[in-house]
Amino acid sequence: RNPMLALLLELCAVLVPPPPVRGASRFFLDTADVREWKALLPLGIFHGVTTNPVLLERAGVRCTVGECHRLARTAFELGAAEFMAQAWGGDTDSLVASGLALRSANPERIVVKVPVTADGTAAAARLVSAGTRVCLTACYSREQALVATAVGAEYLAPYLGRIGDAGHDAHAELEAMQAIARGLGG
């Protein structure tokens, strides 16, 4: 080994600053198909995985707490930092019960998704109060973004395509949602 080259490499390591920390944006794989995770998580651009009952069905996975816990373990083993699973149920109490059960396997890394509906919002408020990390999903308007920040949701999942399909300026809505989040400390 060349000592001069070693010294030069050491000096370069000191003089060249490390790359900046990743930005605040977090990208999630929106699928329950583990084959897709295996192909895409190693790219290093995805922060985690997000699922819901429809995605579970498409992937041939039963929509149970046990199956979601199994998927979360697999996602973490493949390098995901977080795993989002959507709570299910026909009322607030059911959403809270399934949400608490979903997060129980790893409360620091599992985020519970609930829709921005009356029951979903009430469930989100209760889940946040219980220390659960929450994502309000199926958001279509700036008013719903305000609701998400008011209940203390950590994440909001706006549906850009559906906002546009409804005849609204989807990009303007997203900008308004971001302004609301920034204005309230998000």
Side-chain angles (χ1 to χ4, degrees):
R1 179 169 172 179
N2 182 335
M4 225 20 183
L5 180 59
L7 178 61
L8 181 59
L9 290 175
E10 189 175 316
L11 285 174
C12 286
V14 172
L15 297 175
V16 177
V21 176
R22 289 185 181 189
S25 294
R26 293 181 175 175
F27 297 104
F28 289 81
L29 288 175
D30 193 25
T31 179
D33 186 336
V34 174
R35 292 171 303 184
E36 293 180 20
W37 303 355
K38 288 178 179 177
L40 298 171
L41 282 173
L43 297 176
I45 61 172
F46 295 100
H47 183 74
V49 173
T50 180
T51 66
N52 62 45
V54 171
L55 294 175
L56 293 170
E57 183 180 343
R58 283 186 197 150
V61 177
R62 290 179 310 132
C63 186
T64 66
V65 170
E67 285 295 304
C68 287
H69 287 175
R70 182 186 63 77
L71 286 174
R73 281 190 304 275
T74 300
F76 298 146
E77 288 168 5
L78 292 171
E82 294 179 339
F83 181 81
M84 292 192 187
Q86 188 165 328
W88 55 82
D91 58 31
T92 301
D93 290 337
S94 299
L95 289 167
V96 170
S98 64
L100 291 173
L102 287 167
R103 74 161 256 218
S104 68
N106 194 329
E108 294 81 31
R109 295 175 72 189
I110 293 177
V111 178
V112 176
K113 294 174 17 178
V114 291
V116 188
T117 61
D119 282 323
T121 300
R126 287 175 46 191
L127 288 165
V128 168
S129 290
T132 304
R133 299 177 68 206
V134 170
C135 172
L136 278 173
T137 189
C139 179
Y140 301 104
S141 71
R142 61 189 77 194
E143 293 82 8
Q144 289 175 319
L146 186 58
V147 167
T149 57
V151 300
E154 188 172 337
Y155 289 100
L156 177 67
Y159 287 11
L160 181 67
R162 292 186 191 174
I163 295 169
D165 291 346
H168 302 286
D169 181 342
H171 293 286
E173 276 303 307
L174 288 180
E175 288 175 10
M177 289 178 196
Q178 184 62 42
I180 288 166
R182 265 196 307 270
L184 295 174

